[in-house]
Structure formats: C-alpha cells, structure tokens
Amino acid sequence: ELVSMKDTGNPFLNYLDKIGMKIGTKIKVKDIFEFDGSMEIELDGRKKITISKQVADNLLVVTG
C-alpha cells in the first residue's frame, strides 16, 4: 500500500495522479525488468502499468 512519496514536487505528483496512484493505493509488483530496474505493477488489483526505477524509488510502501 502506498503510504507516502519521497518526491513531493508538482511534476511527480501530477504523474502519479495521471496514472491513478494515490495514498492508500494497493500496489502489487508483478515483474521487475533486470535491464533497467523498471517494474510492472498492479494497482488496486485491477490496473497493470509499468513504472521506471526512478518512480519506484520515490514511492514509500508498506507490506502486510
């Protein structure tokens, strides 16, 4: 579950809004691509997207 972001600048927050990710979104990692560290993730059990390593590094999540 997404609990916070390291980057709180408008460009990053606008990006998260555009892809439908906000505080409380459930995130499940489906695949990690070794060549660049990008990830295929599932949002709230329904929407699959690919995010860059830079985006992933700026997300703070809890597991449980």
Side-chain angles (χ1 to χ4, degrees):
E1 181 177 334
L2 180 62
V3 295
S4 187
M5 301 83 150
K6 293 179 187 175
D7 182 345
T8 57
N10 282 336
F12 186 63
L13 297 178
N14 289 338
Y15 170 76
L16 294 182
D17 186 54
K18 186 172 185 173
I19 64 172
M21 192 182 298
K22 60 185 186 249
I23 300 294
T25 299
K26 303 238 185 294
I27 299 170
K28 183 174 185 179
V29 176
K30 303 300 275 182
D31 202 0
I32 299 173
F33 302 103
E34 188 176 331
F35 78 99
D36 69 353
S38 62
M39 297 179 181
E40 180 182 52
I41 61 173
E42 187 177 88
L43 303 178
D44 288 330
R46 54 178 172 72
K47 181 180 178 183
K48 286 186 184 173
I49 62 168
T50 300
I51 60 172
S52 69
K53 181 175 182 347
Q54 181 179 359
V55 169
D57 287 346
N58 279 289
L59 301 175
L60 299 172
V61 298
V62 294
T63 59

